């Protein structure tokens, strides 16, 4: 209600509003103040301008007269009207507090469940789209913790294949880049929504970024891909695809880290062709390459540590004891280890559906074939070998 000399006239239209609405407004204080406007569920009141003390007194008197009119219209006393309004406000607040407490309990329970069992968020992706989504969420979680320099190793497969397929690449790195690495990296970057260290949520509603690609060396199938965020340069991401131990890549990584990332923006190395510093052997054509790699890749400052690029997502596919195995690392969880009892099923529209991926356990470090073999031997689901199950299934048909 706007402040004016005739407060009664200004508030008279409120008499036609919902009685409950007015009661809630009256209960906030003994006058129509900004808090009343905020608590009014139908917003029938307008926030008043600052008034002098005499104007406030007039409003108090007008409010008292209005309560008297409502009480007379309802056949109740003024005390009853005020008590009903106060009771309604208390019940509304109690309901709001109860709902807030329930949401807090549910959020805490989900967080505890996730910490206790990473399997709630880590499962074997049945499709390439599911894998890129899984990778994008891991990148976001790491960046929210201040880790900007990251290594991502995607499971490479063509669009018409499933992740369980043993893809063949007769064309080498160029074919892998063209048919798998580039489209998968692009899809992942379209899903990544990096945030500043101050923001802890994930803005999944943001518009997808603009993707640009700059080839590095065609014969290596390498490229630098940039995702320009619509929200601004803080959300930009760069990804170097298929870097190897050549000094060109090591120098480029150092340049991008210094010029682009600056300890704030995400810089990804996607499926690099090395496993560790030992991949740089003695090379008289590249003196000092190993020392430069240690500086630019393995000990460069990254968030709160100098551990270099951190592997925030990796999907490994390999065989152990004749079984098809999958190991997944997604920040911040340990490696989750799986083996398949059967093969994923492909639908008529080409979509793949996971079938019988058995969780074997977890590992702090990247798993080995021997470790997977030991876990498979201990699991009752794999008492019969893959060949034995195939023969059994054939006879049952």
């Amino acid at each position: 209600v706007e402040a004016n000399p005739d407060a009664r006239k200004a508030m008279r239209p409120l008499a036609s509003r919902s009685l409950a609405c007015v009661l809630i407004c009256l209960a906030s204080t003994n006058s129509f103040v900004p808090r009343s406007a905020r608590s009014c569920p139908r917003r029938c009141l307008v926030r008043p301008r600052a008034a002098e003390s005499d104007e406030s007194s007039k409003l108090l008197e007008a409010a008292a007269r209005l309560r008297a009119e409502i009480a007379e219209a309802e056949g109740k006393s003024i005390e009853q009207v005020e008590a009903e309004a106060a009771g309604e406000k208390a019940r509304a607040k109690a309901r709001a507090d109860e709902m807030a407490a329930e949401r807090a309990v549910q959020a805490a329970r989900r967080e505890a469940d996730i910490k206790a069992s990473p399997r709630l968020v880590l499962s074997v992706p049945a499709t390439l789209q599911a894998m890129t989504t899984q990778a994008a969420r891991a990148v976001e979680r790491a960046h929210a913790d201040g880790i900007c320099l990251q290594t991502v190793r995607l499971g490479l497969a063509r669009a018409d294949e499933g992740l369980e397929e043993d893809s063949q690449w007769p064309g080498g790195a160029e074919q892998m880049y063209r048919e798998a690495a580039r489209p998968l990296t692009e899809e992942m970057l379209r899903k990544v929504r990096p945030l500043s260290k101050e923001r802890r949520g994930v803005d999944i509603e943001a518009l997808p970024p603009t993707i640009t690609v700059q080839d590095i060396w065609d014969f290596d199938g390498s490229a630098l891909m940039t995702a320009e965020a619509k929200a601004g340069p803080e959300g930009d991401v760069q990804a170097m695809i298929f870097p190897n131990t050549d000094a060109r890549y090591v120098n480029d990584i150092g340049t991008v880290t210094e010029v682009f990332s600056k300890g704030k923006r995400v810089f990804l190395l996607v499926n690099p062709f090395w496993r560790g510093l030992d991949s740089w052997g003695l090379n008289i054509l590249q003196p000092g390459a190993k020392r430069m790699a240690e500086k630019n890749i393995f000990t460069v400052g990254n968030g709160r540590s100098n551990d270099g690029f951190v592997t925030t997502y990796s999907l490994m596919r390999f065989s152990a004891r004749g079984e098809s195995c999958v190991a997944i690392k997604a920040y911040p969880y340990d490696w989750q280890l799986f083996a398949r009892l059967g093969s994923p099923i492909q639908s008529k529209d080409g979509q793949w559906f996971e079938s019988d991926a058995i969780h074997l356990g977890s590992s702090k470090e990247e798993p080995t074939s021997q470790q997977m073999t030991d876990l498979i031997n201990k699991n009752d689901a794999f008492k019969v070998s893959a060949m034995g199950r195939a023969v059994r299934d054939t006879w049952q048909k």
Side-chain angles (χ1 to χ4, degrees):
V1 177
E2 298 289 344
N4 58 71
D6 192 352
R8 179 186 178 90
K9 181 178 179 181
M11 289 184 289
R12 184 168 296 159
L14 293 177
S16 61
R17 297 288 186 175
S18 167
L19 178 59
C21 189
V22 175
L23 291 176
I24 294 176
C25 295
L26 289 172
S28 299
T29 63
N30 287 328
S31 63
F32 294 108
V33 295
R35 182 169 52 180
S36 301
R38 290 195 298 271
S39 62
C40 173
R42 294 182 57 180
R43 300 182 180 180
C44 65
L45 302 179
V46 181
R47 193 181 179 94
R49 295 192 298 268
E52 299 296 334
S53 58
D54 57 339
E55 294 178 340
S56 299
S57 298
K58 291 180 181 180
L59 286 176
L60 287 172
E61 294 174 0
R65 287 195 296 271
L66 181 58
R67 287 197 296 270
E69 291 178 1
I70 294 174
E72 183 179 358
E74 296 290 329
K76 300 177 181 178
S77 66
I78 296 177
E79 290 75 13
Q80 286 178 312
V81 171
E82 292 178 343
E84 289 177 359
E88 180 62 27
K89 180 186 176 184
R91 286 190 292 273
K93 185 178 184 301
R95 287 193 298 268
D97 292 344
E98 183 179 353
M99 293 176 63
E102 180 63 23
R103 286 194 296 268
V105 170
Q106 292 177 355
R109 185 181 297 118
R110 286 194 300 268
E111 185 69 19
D113 289 342
I114 289 174
K115 289 181 179 179
S117 178
R119 292 180 59 198
L120 294 177
V121 292
L122 293 183
S123 59
V124 178
T127 66
L128 299 179
Q129 292 76 17
M131 177 186 64
T132 55
T133 299
Q134 199 175 58
R137 298 293 87 81
V139 170
E140 291 169 343
R141 290 193 295 267
H143 185 252
D145 284 343
I147 300 174
C148 299
L149 306 179
Q150 307 180 29
T151 297
V152 171
R153 296 183 183 273
L154 301 172
L156 299 181
R158 299 182 183 87
D160 59 347
E161 296 176 340
L163 281 169
E164 81 298 334
E165 292 288 323
D166 186 13
S167 301
Q168 302 298 317
W169 311 102
E174 291 180 79
Q175 183 185 12
M176 282 193 292
Y177 168 75
R178 184 177 62 254
E179 298 181 6
R182 173 169 176 166
L184 289 175
T185 302
E186 183 171 348
E187 182 178 340
M188 176 184 65
L189 291 187
R190 291 190 185 281
K191 298 175 181 178
V192 173
R193 301 292 186 271
L195 304 172
S196 67
K197 297 177 183 178
E198 289 75 23
R199 296 176 61 194
R200 310 298 293 182
V202 175
D203 187 11
I204 59 175
E205 299 299 328
L207 295 174
T210 300
I211 306 295
T212 58
V213 182
Q214 177 186 352
D215 292 336
I216 300 177
W217 276 339
D218 291 340
F219 56 84
D220 276 346
S222 57
L224 184 66
M225 187 174 292
T226 303
E228 297 179 358
K230 294 294 192 297
E234 181 188 3
D236 291 353
V237 180
Q238 282 197 336
M240 186 177 290
I241 306 171
F242 285 167
N244 58 41
T245 58
D246 192 279
R248 162 73 184 276
Y249 296 105
V250 177
N251 291 329
D252 286 351
I253 290 171
T255 300
V256 175
T257 299
E258 181 179 354
V259 176
F260 171 80
S261 180
K262 299 179 180 179
K264 297 180 179 179
R265 293 189 286 192
V266 176
F267 177 32
L268 307 176
L269 301 181
V270 179
N271 290 63
F273 283 108
W274 61 72
R275 305 304 298 182
L277 188 56
D278 292 339
S279 297
W280 277 264
L282 180 62
N283 188 341
I284 59 175
L285 299 178
Q286 295 185 140
K290 185 173 184 178
R291 185 169 58 254
M292 184 62 69
E294 182 177 13
K295 174 186 175 184
N296 290 353
I297 300 173
F298 296 97
T299 61
V300 64
N302 190 3
R304 296 181 293 271
S305 69
N306 292 322
D307 295 335
F309 282 78
V310 175
T311 298
T312 55
Y313 184 80
S314 182
L315 188 146
M316 293 175 53
R317 299 168 294 168
F318 54 96
S319 178
R321 210 201 72 174
E323 305 290 351
S324 176
C325 301
V326 180
I328 301 174
K329 165 67 179 176
Y331 184 90
Y333 310 111
D334 294 339
W335 287 86
Q336 301 302 310
L337 314 179
F338 301 85
R340 290 192 174 103
L341 272 175
S343 298
I345 302 170
Q346 187 177 25
S347 66
K348 293 181 179 179
D349 60 359
Q351 295 295 317
W352 290 88
F353 300 93
E354 186 58 54
S355 65
D356 299 334
I358 305 299
H359 184 255
L360 301 177
S362 61
S363 173
K364 292 285 186 182
E365 305 296 331
E366 182 177 315
T368 63
S369 295
Q370 184 58 51
Q371 181 181 359
M372 294 295 290
T373 299
D374 293 341
L375 291 172
I376 290 172
N377 289 336
K378 295 177 182 178
N379 195 295
D380 292 340
F382 294 94
K383 285 185 176 181
V384 180
S385 66
M387 181 63 71
R389 295 197 302 274
V391 173
R392 179 191 61 194
D393 294 342
T394 301
W395 277 103
Q396 288 178 349
K397 291 180 181 179

